[in-house]
Structure formats: structure tokens, C-alpha cells
């Protein structure tokens, strides 16, 4: 299993001449450090074999395990944290087999996708603030035994809180 990480910095390098990205997570064997520079950075981090119970599975195939991960921009000389970002992520291996029909293989298991096409829950996204409308619609999808939601090309991604 490999974790793909991308970062983008648009600040000029001079204020952070000796900075580095630091990434920590329980599933990583050690702390990952990447030198900071202006522009785009990407890194493939080998995670190795994880027990199946630590992987994210689609609804109906197992648990949706989420792992906390912390990324920091650290000044190398002083160790001072300049910026920090924390998120929960799911780890899984995904393949798309394009034979006579599309087949998704997740964690070496062929998945039967049952889902819907998601359009924004409201024409004006701001009107959803403070409501449960999007969450209610996704709950209905779960109750209908769906395990896949496709965001149409002109759509928006709902917030992580949904």
C-alpha cells in the first residue's frame, strides 16, 4: 500500500528558507519529512501491508476506518511549527478494471456499486449552512443500500461534516 501526498505552496521561499513538511500518523512506521519549496511537491510513501481491519471499505463490505494524520510546516533550525493541518483519511487499494463493464476492485475484492448521481442539495450552497439537508439526503441513500455516490461534473463536494 502506498500513500500519495501532494502539497502546494505559493509563498516565496525566503521567509521559510529552512522549513520542511512533517507528517505523522499511527499507521506510518516513522515520521515523514519533506523539504519545503515554492510550487508543487508530491511524494509516494510506502505504507506496507496493513491488516484488513485497518483498511477503509465501501458500505456493506466492512468498516470505514478513518486514521488521523497530522501535517506540519516546521522551521528546521528552531523546530517551531509555522502551520499545522490535521485530517482523518481512509486507506484502501483501488483498481478500475475496464473490460466489458467497469469493475471496481477495492482491497482485492470486486465491488458491486449501487449508487446515485449527486447534484447539489440546494441551488445556493450557502442556504445549506446550519441545516441537515445534505446529511438527510445521504442518510436516505444509505437506507436504500447505496454504497457509491458520483459527483456530477458541474457539482460541488459537500463539507466533511456531512
Amino acid at each position: 500500500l502506498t500513500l500519495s501526498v501532494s502539497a502546494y505552496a505559493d509563498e516565496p521561499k525566503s521567509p521559510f528558507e529552512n522549513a520542511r513538511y512533517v507528517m505523522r500518523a499511527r499507521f506510518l512506521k516513522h515520521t515523514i519529512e519533506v523539504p519545503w519549496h515554492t510550487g508543487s511537491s508530491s511524494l509516494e510513501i510506502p505504507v506496507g501491508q496493513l491488516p484488513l481491519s485497518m483498511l477503509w471499505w465501501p458500505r456493506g463490505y466492512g468498516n470505514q476506518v478513518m486514521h488521523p494524520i497530522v501535517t506540519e510546516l516546521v522551521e528546521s533550525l528552531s523546530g517551531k511549527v509555522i502551520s499545522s493541518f490535521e485530517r482523518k483519511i481512509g486507506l484502501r487499494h483501488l483498481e478500475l478494471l475496464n473490460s466489458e463493464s467497469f469493475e471496481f476492485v477495492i482491497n482485492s475484492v470486486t465491488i458491486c456499486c449501487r449508487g446515485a448521481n449527486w447534484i447539489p442539495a440546494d441551488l445556493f450552497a450557502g442556504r445549506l449552512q446550519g441545516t441537515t439537508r445534505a446529511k438527510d439526503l445521504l442518510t436516505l441513500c444509505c437506507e436504500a443500500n447505496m454504497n457509491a455516490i458520483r459527483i456530477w461534473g458541474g457539482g460541488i463536494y459537500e463539507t466533511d461534516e456531512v
Side-chain angles (χ1 to χ4, degrees):
L1 191 62
T2 302
L3 177 64
S4 298
V5 179
S6 297
Y8 182 81
D10 58 3
E11 292 291 322
K13 186 172 180 167
S14 56
F16 306 118
E17 196 69 39
N18 296 306
R20 66 188 190 281
Y21 292 115
V22 178
M23 185 178 304
R24 292 187 312 276
R26 194 170 35 113
F27 60 85
L28 295 172
K29 293 178 178 41
H30 49 74
T31 298
I32 304 297
E33 296 191 20
V34 182
W36 183 88
H37 62 82
T38 303
S40 183
S41 300
S42 61
L43 182 64
E44 299 286 322
I45 303 168
V47 175
Q49 291 287 27
L50 292 176
L52 292 177
S53 62
M54 289 185 69
L55 296 177
W56 179 96
W57 291 89
R59 188 172 187 284
Y61 288 86
N63 294 324
Q64 291 77 48
V65 179
M66 301 297 281
H67 301 276
I69 188 165
V70 178
T71 304
E72 298 173 331
L73 182 61
V74 178
E75 210 289 319
S76 297
L77 300 176
S78 69
K80 177 184 173 192
V81 176
I82 300 166
S83 181
S84 179
F85 180 77
E86 188 169 342
R87 168 93 27 135
K88 288 186 175 183
I89 63 170
L91 299 170
R92 50 95 180 112
H93 181 264
L94 170 69
E95 293 178 78
L96 173 60
L97 304 179
N98 190 0
S99 53
E100 291 181 20
S101 64
F102 287 116
E103 289 183 317
F104 287 96
V105 179
I106 298 180
N107 303 327
S108 302
V109 174
T110 301
I111 301 297
C112 177
C113 288
R114 300 175 308 272
N117 193 27
W118 181 266
I119 60 172
D122 194 296
L123 181 60
F124 299 103
R127 288 196 298 204
L128 291 176
Q129 297 289 332
T131 71
T132 61
R133 175 102 174 109
K135 188 172 185 172
D136 293 343
L137 289 171
L138 289 172
T139 298
L140 289 172
C141 291
C142 290
E143 290 172 0
N145 291 316
M146 293 183 190
N147 63 6
I149 300 293
R150 178 186 174 271
I151 309 292
W152 71 288
I156 59 168
Y157 290 94
E158 303 296 343
T159 63
D160 285 346
E161 290 75 35
V162 174

